[in-house]
Amino acid sequence: MSILQFLSQRSVQNAEFVANKLEEQKIDVNVIKCMYTDDAFLCSILPQYGDRLALINFAKQTNVSKRKSALFDKLMSKVKKNNDDICESFIDSPNQSFVPKKNHQTIHTSLPNRFVEIGWLNFEFSNYKQVRTRNGGGTRKVHVNKNCVKSDLIDLAIQLFFPNGTSSNFGPIEQFKTDLFDFQRNVLPGDLSVAELYLKTGLNSLRFYLATDLKDRISNDSKSNSKIFSSPEKTVTNYVVASSTKSLFDVSPSNSPTSLWLSNNDNFENIFDGYNNLDESLKNEERITDVYVEQQIHNNLIDHNYYTVPEPLEEKTKLILHRGRIFNELIEAFKLIKMYPQFQFELILPNGSVENAIDVGGVFKDVLAEFWSSFYEMATTGCNWKIPIIRHDFQDEQWQAIGKIIFIGWRDIQYLPLSLALPFMEYVICGTVVNNQDLVDGFLNTLPFKSKDILQNALKDFKQIDEDELLDILQEFDCRLVVNEKNIKDVVSEIAHKEIIQRPKYIIDIWSEELRNKVIPIISKISLQEMYINKVPTSTNLLKNLQCPDKDESEIKRKVFGFLKKFIREADQMLCTKFLRFVTGSDIITDCININFTSAKDNYSRSPVAHTCTNTLDLPMSYDRFIDLRSEINSILASNVWVMDIA
C-alpha cells in the first residue's frame, strides 16, 4: 500500500496534496519512520495529531513487512539453489541411483537410534495443560531405538517425569491413567514404531506427550460416557481485542475492534511453535510482534512464572498515558470519570513508541507509583512524611480526581499513598481527630532530621537545648508565643494541628467526601496504622515478605538467596523502595516477593530480571561473591530507567 492509498483510506483531507509534498521533499517510508509527531514539516501538512502518528506507524509496519519479504526471499533462494543442485546431479547421472551431497540432509534409515522430544500433559479442569519444567515437566530430548513403539515411549516418559515412580509435585504414577499423544495432541496408535512415524510424517524431529489424568476424577465423572483418553477437542472461541474498550487518551491509528480466532487449548507455546522452528537467522533478524490477546497472555504468565496472576476482566476502560506525564494525564482522565470501571493501562515511551508490557497488574502498580512520586514532589511539603498543600491551579475537580485515584488504587491492589503523614490520612479516612501524641509524632516526621532532633530534645529537656536554634525552627511555622519549659509541649502540639489538619482541611474535606462509603467503612484506624508499619518498604518488611520455596534445594541456591537477604539488610529505606519498585512496580508492599532461580551461560549475560505482574525476581545462580550481586543490583537500581516488556 502506498502513502497516498493509506492517507485516502484514513479519509485525510487533501491526501493527494500531502503525498505530493512528501514526494517533493524525498520523504518516503524509510524517512517517515525516523520522524516524530511534533516534526514541523509533518505538522504543516498534517495538522491532526492522530494522522501524524498513524502515518509514522504505517511507515514502520511497511518497513517490517519489506524486511520480512526480503528474509523470506533470501530463504527461498537458498532452497531453490539446493533443489537445482540436486536436479543437476540427477541429470548428469540418469542411470545411477540418486545419492545426495554431503552438505544436504540425509535420511537416517540406517541409524539404529533417533532423537525424540517428550513433554507432559496433565488433565486439569476441562483440558490438558502442559506441565512446566519448574513443576517437574518440561520438554526432554532423548535418544531412543527407532523400533520403539507406544508402550516403550510411555515407559520412558514415566521414568523421566516420575523418577522412582513418583513426581514431587503430582504424587505417585499409580494414581494416574496414562496415554501418549503425538505432536498434534492426538492419541498415538499403538502399533507404529518411531522409524515408521518419521517416514510417515516427514518431520526432522518428533515430539510426543505423556498424557496423565487422575483415576479418581475419571471414576467420579458420571457424566462422561466417552473414552477416557480421546484427543483434546479444539473448540474455537472468538477473542475480541478492545471490543469493549473505551480509550480516553487513545492515539492509536485505528480504534476499530479486532478479532482473533484461537483454540481454547492452545497456549503461547502452541501459537509460536512455527516461529520456534524457524531458521535461527530469521529469529535474530526479525522479531515477531503481532497481536496480543489478554487471555492468552494471562495463561502464559501463569505457565511461566508459577505464581498467582490477577484474572483478566472482561469489561475494561483503557487509558493510554505517556511516561513522564502520568501525573497530569491521570488527573485529567479521572476528572471525566463519574463511575468506577476496571482499568487497563498502556504506556507510551518518550520516543513515541508503545511500551510492550501488557497490563495484568504490573503496569497499574507502576502507574500508581509514578503518579504518587510526582504528587509528592509537586503538591506536598515535608521530608519523611508528606502533607498536601493548596495550589492555585488545583481546584475542586483536581482534588476530587486525586481522591478517585486513591479509591481505585485501594480497590484493585490495596494501594494507599503511605508517604502522606499518618495523622492526615487518619483524619481523611477515619474521620476522627487523632490524639495529641500521634499528631506531634506525625508532625516531627515531616521535619528535616536536624529540626526534628532539636524539637525532640526540647520536649524532653528544655534547659539543654540551644534556644536560638529552637526559635528559628518555630518562626518557620509562624509561632506567636515566647516558648518556655512550661508551654513548649502545648505550642508544638498546636503547630502540629495547624500544619497537619488546619492547613490542608480543604483537601481533607474533598477526599473524605470522595472516599465516603467506599474506603472509609473498610479501613479502621488500627488497620491503617498496621499498614503504615507493615507495608512501608523497610529492610525488615522486605525480608518478611520474601518467598523462595527452592532455597533449600541446593547449596548454590541457599548461598545466592543469602546474598540477596544480606543486600536487603544493608539497604536504607530509599534503596529498599527502589528495589521494591524494580521487582513489583509498586513503591509500597502490596504482596509477597517471589524469588525464582535461573541459570546464566556466563557472568557477562547474567542479570536479575523482574516480573512485576507476579512480583517475581529471577535471580541467576552464578554469583560466587556477595559483592558481585550487590554491584549488579545497585547498577540496575541506580539507572532509574526500567522499560517494561512482556513477561
Side-chain angles (χ1 to χ4, degrees):
M1 183 186 297
S2 66
I3 294 177
L4 177 59
Q5 291 173 330
F6 172 75
L7 295 174
S8 301
Q9 186 175 336
R10 272 190 65 85
S11 302
V12 175
Q13 294 182 355
N14 301 324
E16 187 173 354
F17 168 77
V18 174
N20 291 335
K21 282 291 185 182
L22 292 172
E23 187 176 355
E24 287 176 7
Q25 299 296 323
K26 295 185 178 180
I27 298 177
D28 56 11
V29 290
N30 293 320
V31 178
I32 294 174
K33 71 173 185 176
C34 302
M35 301 175 76
Y36 294 96
T37 53
D38 56 356
D39 182 85
F41 178 74
L42 272 185
C43 293
S44 65
I45 61 175
L46 285 173
Q48 296 297 326
Y49 176 76
D51 291 337
R52 298 196 299 273
L53 190 63
L55 180 61
I56 294 172
N57 187 56
F58 165 74
K60 292 179 180 178
Q61 291 180 349
T62 302
N63 189 59
V64 168
S65 300
K66 288 183 178 179
R67 284 201 294 158
K68 286 183 179 178
S69 300
L71 290 170
F72 181 75
D73 293 341
K74 182 179 178 181
L75 181 61
M76 291 304 298
S77 65
K78 290 182 179 180
V79 174
K80 185 175 183 302
K81 183 178 182 300
N82 292 340
N83 291 337
D84 292 343
D85 291 344
I86 294 172
C87 292
E88 290 174 4
S89 172
F90 183 74
I91 292 171
D92 292 340
S93 306
N95 297 325
Q96 298 179 6
S97 59
F98 168 67
V99 179
K101 297 181 180 179
K102 290 183 180 180
N103 59 340
H104 293 300
Q105 185 178 359
T106 58
I107 301 174
H108 300 276
T109 55
S110 60
L111 297 178
N113 298 322
R114 295 298 302 271
F115 277 109
V116 297
E117 295 177 349
I118 300 180
W120 178 11
L121 298 173
N122 186 51
F123 193 90
E124 297 179 10
F125 302 107
S126 61
N127 59 7
Y128 286 94
K129 291 187 67 176
Q130 184 165 1
V131 180
R132 300 296 172 181
T133 306
R134 178 184 179 83
N135 293 331
T139 301
R140 316 292 177 86
K141 192 169 185 178
V142 293
H143 221 193
V144 300
N145 189 286
K146 66 180 182 181
N147 295 320
C148 283
V149 292
K150 178 178 179 177
S151 59
D152 300 322
L153 293 173
I154 290 177
D155 292 340
L156 176 60
I158 291 174
Q159 293 176 16
L160 293 173
F161 299 118
F162 291 84
N164 300 321
T166 303
S167 168
S168 58
N169 291 319
F170 290 84
I173 187 63
E174 288 78 12
Q175 64 182 0
F176 291 94
K177 178 74 175 180
T178 60
D179 207 329
L180 196 71
F181 291 166
D182 63 10
F183 62 94
Q184 292 180 317
R185 300 194 178 186
N186 297 319
V187 177
L188 190 71
D191 55 346
L192 290 178
S193 67
V194 170
E196 291 171 331
L197 286 170
Y198 265 107
L199 291 174
K200 183 179 179 179
T201 61
L203 295 172
N204 292 330
S205 177
L206 287 178
R207 173 177 290 194
F208 303 101
Y209 292 98
L210 174 68
T212 58
D213 195 358
L214 284 172
K215 294 178 181 177
D216 292 342
R217 187 197 67 79
I218 298 170
S219 61
N220 293 331
D221 189 3
S222 58
K223 296 182 180 180
S224 177
N225 296 321
S226 60
K227 290 184 179 180
I228 292 173
F229 279 91
S230 59
S231 60
E233 182 184 359
K234 300 200 171 184
T235 57
V236 178
T237 302
N238 185 14
Y239 291 87
V240 180
V241 180
S243 61
S244 61
T245 294
K246 170 184 165 190
S247 179
L248 299 179
F249 290 95
D250 198 346
V251 293
S252 56
S254 174
N255 294 327
S256 59
T258 306
S259 297
L260 178 65
W261 292 83
L262 295 173
S263 165
N264 276 348
N265 293 323
D266 283 343
N267 54 28
F268 261 46
E269 181 177 345
N270 306 127
I271 294 170
F272 293 115
D273 263 347
Y275 172 66
N276 293 330
N277 294 328
L278 285 176
D279 186 89
E280 285 296 324
S281 62
L282 289 178
K283 284 198 228 176
N284 295 332
E285 285 276 338
E286 187 55 51
R287 189 168 143 236
I288 291 182
T289 56
D290 291 327
V291 179
Y292 302 111
V293 181
E294 182 184 348
Q295 181 65 47
Q296 293 296 320
I297 289 166
H298 175 264
N299 294 339
N300 189 42
L301 286 171
I302 291 177
D303 289 343
H304 285 81
N305 291 311
Y306 320 100
Y307 297 106
T308 302
V309 180
E311 286 288 343
L313 298 162
E314 295 179 359
E315 298 292 333
K316 288 191 175 183
T317 297
K318 186 176 184 180
L319 294 180
I320 300 181
L321 308 173
H322 294 77
R323 286 271 186 199
R325 303 208 299 266
I326 287 177
F327 178 69
N328 292 323
E329 290 181 348
L330 202 58
I331 290 176
E332 290 300 315
F334 275 81
K335 282 165 57 177
L336 306 175
I337 292 173
K338 304 301 180 185
M339 305 297 290
Y340 294 95
Q342 296 290 336
F343 292 98
Q344 180 182 8
F345 290 89
E346 183 177 290
L347 297 181
I348 307 296
L349 296 175
N351 63 0
S353 61
V354 179
E355 197 169 70
N356 284 336
I358 303 298
D359 185 16
V360 287
V363 179
F364 181 41
K365 289 184 289 186
D366 193 48
V367 166
L368 285 179
E370 184 170 333
F371 172 85
W372 286 109
S373 177
S374 301
F375 178 83
Y376 299 145
E377 291 292 327
M378 302 171 66
T380 65
T381 182
C383 293
N384 187 23
W385 279 354
K386 314 287 184 181
I387 303 173
I389 57 173
I390 300 298
R391 289 175 40 155
H392 71 87
D393 55 341
F394 271 29
Q395 301 300 315
D396 283 7
E397 56 183 8
Q398 280 83 9
W399 292 114
Q400 287 171 0
I402 297 173
K404 294 175 185 177
I405 294 169
I406 294 176
F407 167 65
I408 293 298
W410 169 256
R411 182 195 68 181
D412 293 349
I413 58 172
Q414 282 70 59
Y415 182 101
L416 283 179
L418 299 185
S419 289
L420 295 180
L422 174 58
F424 170 83
M425 291 300 292
E426 283 181 353
Y427 202 90
V428 169
I429 294 176
C430 304
T432 57
V433 179
V434 295
N435 63 61
N436 284 339
Q437 188 57 49
D438 290 343
L439 203 59
V440 170
D441 291 341
F443 170 66
L444 293 177
N445 275 328
T446 66
L447 301 178
F449 177 78
K450 180 67 175 176
S451 300
K452 177 181 177 181
D453 188 51
I454 292 172
L455 280 180
Q456 283 178 331
N457 291 332
L459 292 171
K460 291 178 182 178
D461 189 355
F462 187 84
K463 296 178 180 179
Q464 299 298 322
I465 56 128
D466 186 333
E467 292 190 15
D468 291 337
E469 289 184 337
L470 177 61
L471 291 175
D472 287 341
I473 296 171
L474 296 178
Q475 284 177 0
E476 292 179 13
F477 302 102
D478 298 326
C479 179
R480 304 300 177 89
L481 296 177
V482 177
V483 293
N484 53 51
E485 187 176 3
K486 294 181 179 180
N487 68 0
I488 180 64
K489 291 184 179 180
D490 291 336
V491 169
V492 173
S493 177
E494 291 168 356
I495 292 175
H497 190 274
K498 183 194 73 171
E499 295 297 320
I500 294 180
I501 304 298
Q502 295 177 28
R503 279 188 183 276
K505 189 64 167 63
Y506 171 72
I507 302 169
I508 290 173
D509 290 342
I510 293 177
W511 285 5
S512 297
E513 184 177 355
E514 188 63 40
L515 298 176
R516 188 171 293 127
N517 302 323
K518 298 184 183 76
V519 174
I520 291 173
I522 301 172
I523 303 178
S524 66
K525 181 177 178 180
I526 296 176
S527 63
L528 183 62
Q529 291 173 346
E530 289 176 351
M531 288 181 65
Y532 269 78
I533 295 172
N534 298 323
K535 286 183 172 287
V536 174
T538 62
S539 297
T540 303
N541 289 339
L542 289 182
L543 290 172
K544 283 195 302 186
N545 285 275
L546 286 184
Q547 283 191 352
C548 184
D550 298 341
K551 64 180 181 297
D552 295 324
E553 288 184 356
S554 67
E555 184 62 33
I556 295 176
K557 292 182 178 179
R558 244 191 323 269
K559 178 180 69 175
V560 174
F561 185 64
F563 289 164
L564 179 64
K565 291 199 295 184
K566 184 178 179 182
F567 170 81
I568 294 174
R569 276 194 294 266
E570 292 181 356
D572 57 17
Q573 185 166 340
M574 183 178 294
L575 189 59
C576 286
T577 304
K578 283 189 175 183
F579 175 79
L580 182 67
R581 176 84 185 273
F582 170 69
V583 176
T584 69
S586 174
D587 55 357
I588 72 166
I589 298 173
T590 58
D591 206 345
C592 294
I593 299 173
N594 306 300
I595 306 301
N596 180 40
F597 293 103
T598 60
S599 56
K601 295 180 180 179
D602 51 57
N603 292 343
Y604 298 101
S605 61
R606 73 182 179 197
S607 177
V609 177
H611 305 275
T612 58
C613 293
T614 55
N615 296 339
T616 302
L617 177 66
D618 287 345
L619 203 59
M621 293 186 294
S622 57
Y623 291 107
D624 296 324
R625 300 179 301 173
F626 164 70
I627 57 175
D628 294 333
L629 179 140
R630 182 181 62 187
S631 174
E632 292 186 12
I633 295 182
N634 280 334
S635 297
I636 294 173
L637 300 183
S639 67
N640 286 325
V641 180
W642 310 316
V643 177
M644 287 193 176
D645 208 331
I646 297 176

